[in-house]
Amino acid sequence: MTQDLESPAAPLRLVLIVGSTRTGRFGAGVTRWFASQAAGRTDVEIDVVDLAEVRLEQEFPAPGQAPGPRTTALGSRLDRADAFVVVTPEYNHSFPAPLKDAVDRFRAEWRAKPVGFVSYGGMSGGLRAVEQLRLVFAELHATTVRDGVSFHNVWECFDVDGGPKDPTGAEAAAKKLLDQLAWWASALREARARRPYEA
């Protein structure tokens, strides 16, 4: 695909999830850059969910027990979404524990919706974390898109103004991810409207 999807339907609701909560994290800058790429499109509306700001309750509710107000509020935002992009670093060949905690608190909110990934890290660019996340989201009946954005040796990839040193390559990768995500989000939104998904 080479163009944004144009449709008379309402814009697709894209939730952008910041997966790292560490102090001094690089992910906030990566997220700002990617959000600026998505904001330039006419087919999506963006809701940035920063897990460091959401601060979910420490207690994980027992089965049948009502979740806390922060979890309930996040669930409402995820439920309204048509698509997700997860921005994740790689910690020890995997993804951050707070991200797994946030994902595991919800089920129906993820179902029959597409998930894309923007990853960053050292030599692997966070791709090992993404491969593990694909398995997690498959179990939750979400569809992960093939192409993503990855920054290898991320601390060398951005300039002092917070932009990629290779803007042409980074922007092309972001556009490809967003194009694929928009296609799946539109198709699955229509499918869910015609026939509710049953897990």
Side-chain angles (χ1 to χ4, degrees):
M1 286 178 283
T2 58
Q3 297 180 342
D4 293 357
L5 294 178
E6 295 292 343
S7 169
L12 299 162
R13 295 174 295 263
L14 172 61
V15 169
L16 184 56
I17 301 172
V18 189
S20 173
T21 61
R22 282 188 176 180
T23 302
R25 61 201 168 144
F26 213 98
V30 175
T31 302
R32 280 193 296 273
W33 168 78
F34 187 78
S36 73
Q37 300 301 301
R41 298 176 66 103
T42 60
D43 54 349
V44 296
E45 293 177 346
I46 309 163
D47 177 14
V48 178
V49 170
D50 187 340
L51 296 180
E53 295 177 358
V54 170
R55 295 186 179 277
L56 294 174
E57 292 84 4
Q58 193 168 24
E59 300 80 10
F60 200 102
Q65 180 182 353
R70 295 175 188 170
T71 299
T72 299
L74 177 56
S76 296
R77 294 168 75 180
L78 300 181
D79 189 55
R80 290 192 297 269
D82 294 304
F84 308 96
V85 169
V86 177
V87 180
T88 183
E90 181 179 315
Y91 299 158
N92 300 319
H93 286 222
S94 189
F95 51 93
L99 177 56
K100 183 64 160 66
D101 176 57
V103 170
D104 285 348
R105 288 174 186 255
F106 307 99
R107 287 192 162 295
E109 291 82 356
W110 307 114
R111 289 177 189 158
K113 297 178 183 179
V115 183
F117 301 100
V118 175
S119 64
Y120 60 95
M123 182 172 58
S124 75
L127 293 177
R128 292 173 294 204
V130 169
E131 290 309 304
Q132 292 195 24
L133 280 165
R134 291 186 189 279
L135 297 174
V136 173
F137 280 108
E139 177 63 19
L140 292 166
H141 297 261
T143 299
T144 61
V145 300
R146 179 190 182 278
D147 290 286
V149 180
S150 62
F151 293 100
H152 302 253
N153 296 319
V154 66
W155 46 88
E156 300 174 2
C157 294
F158 286 78
D159 59 29
V160 293
D161 296 321
K165 292 181 180 178
D166 175 21
T168 301
E171 289 171 12
K175 185 179 188 311
K176 191 170 187 180
L177 167 58
L178 287 163
D179 282 344
Q180 291 183 5
L181 195 72
W183 189 95
W184 278 105
S186 179
L188 290 173
R189 180 167 71 178
E190 292 175 10
R192 292 194 309 272
R194 288 195 306 267
R195 180 179 178 185
Y197 183 83
E198 295 183 12

